[in-house]
Amino acid sequence: MMLRVLALLCLVLSATPGALAHEISRSHSIWQVDGPRVTMRFTADARTATLLFNLYPDAASIEDAMARQVSGAISVARNGADCAMESPVEIGALGDGRLAVRAVYICAQSDGALDLEIAVFSALSATHLHIAQLEASDGARREVLLSRGHTRARFSPDSAAPQGRGFAAFIALGVTHILEGLDHLAFLAALLLLVRRWRDVIPLSLGFTIGHSITLGLAATGSIAPPGPAVEALIGFSILFVAAEAVLRPDKSAARTGLIAGAVLLAAALISGFTGGNLPAQVWIGLALLVACYGLWMSRGGDVQRVAILVSGLFGLVHGAGFAGILLESGLPEGRVLTTLLGFNIGVEIGQLIALGVAGIGIVLAQRTLAPPVRVQAHGLAVAVIAGMGSYWFLERAFMA
């Protein structure tokens, strides 16, 4: 059985595409109003802008594709009346790898609510976020978060905040991040592989929740600042580690496996030292000690079920730092950090419950319809798939720039 799992792992690992790595893109716009004249400054990463060639394959350049998309995917209105673009957009490249677009709109009215629709990348990237900011004459800014399915915002002079997406937006962002983040879903699936009884799901989920809530709050408020690439690599390691737990037996073979895995990690640390990587040497050494000591503990009769909540909590700390990176990418509204954190965390929990519920239904159906030998093979296949994905993400994120 173990040989089959290892063979499947090699197959899955070799077939896992780079597109599976979780990534989010962001664009930003600043709007200034001077009577009937509305000026927009729009910036986006040039790498994200290459997606526009899917819409404009005949575009002469990335700037040409961006100019055409901005002209058609951004609309401005005042008091319900459309504003006209004064002249063709101006576009140029910034030194930090971003494209900058400037456009001026002329409205028929000089005051009233400003309605924006910004859908430059929403049709091309499900996880794309756009932050629109209205800059007042005194320098104060009001902002709103936009994403796929929520591309409209209204800045009203009679309200203290834009009538766009607020608390509910960050709940939706949390749900989306879980359900569209394949790495987080893989970790939850790996946790389910450890479950013997359905009631064991509750402490596992609780440990993960406590862990990610702690680091999400600390990182989002600036108390800690873990490097993003290292966090993403450790998320991949967490998936591999938990998947391995599901097949390791509490006997002498666990000690041997742990020592071999620790040696492999130390070798990877040496390679990283010569070639460069995203994980410092002390992290590699810490991971090597973790797997070696865990294997020795299991070989002496250690029960994975008894420490499952601690393991889920430990790796929940890592995933929480990853959640914080996405939240910071979206921009934290000034003066609403706590409510934003609460909304995002609620969204994460909702997404987590949905994922666990769907997976649970699938497991129950499998138990009722599949013969015992087939269930054993399905379990091995699931372990191989999840471990392969975790291995890929861990190595790719640890070594790739």
Side-chain angles (χ1 to χ4, degrees), residues 7 25 44 92 95 98 131 151 155 160 175 194 202 254 257 263 338 376 380 386 398:
S25 58
R98 292 182 300 159
I131 302 171
T151 58
F155 290 92
V175 174
L194 301 177
I202 296 176
T257 302
L338 291 180
V376 172
I386 294 172

Side-chain angles (χ1 to χ4, degrees), residues 111-197:
D111 54 14
L114 183 67
D115 294 303
L116 306 176
E117 181 171 7
I118 304 172
V120 177
F121 295 107
S122 58
L124 297 168
S125 174
T127 58
H128 185 81
L129 301 174
H130 181 82
I131 302 171
Q133 292 182 317
L134 179 67
E135 188 175 89
S137 57
D138 60 358
R141 291 184 179 181
R142 291 181 289 163
E143 63 183 21
V144 65
L145 175 68
L146 304 176
S147 61
R148 174 180 283 189
H150 301 273
T151 58
R152 297 182 180 182
R154 164 170 285 196
F155 290 92
S156 173
D158 301 324
S159 63
Q163 296 176 12
R165 304 175 66 209
F167 183 73
F170 287 97
I171 293 179
L173 179 62
V175 174
T176 300
H177 182 58
I178 284 289
L179 298 183
E180 295 183 352
L182 192 54
D183 45 8
H184 301 305
L185 291 176
F187 181 76
L188 292 174
L191 287 178
L192 287 178
L193 294 176
L194 301 177
V195 172
R196 295 174 183 169
R197 300 164 300 183

Side-chain angles (χ1 to χ4, degrees), residues 283-295:
V283 173
W284 285 108
I285 294 173
L287 296 179
L289 289 173
L290 172 64
V291 298
C293 292
Y294 199 81

Side-chain angles (χ1 to χ4, degrees), residues 220-268:
T221 55
S223 299
I224 59 174
V231 168
E232 293 299 316
L234 290 176
I235 288 175
F237 175 82
S238 72
I239 298 167
L240 173 60
F241 185 94
V242 176
E245 281 187 295
V247 293
L248 287 179
R249 298 178 179 177
D251 53 28
K252 293 182 179 180
S253 65
R256 183 169 61 253
T257 302
L259 291 174
I260 293 173
V264 171
L265 288 169
L266 289 177

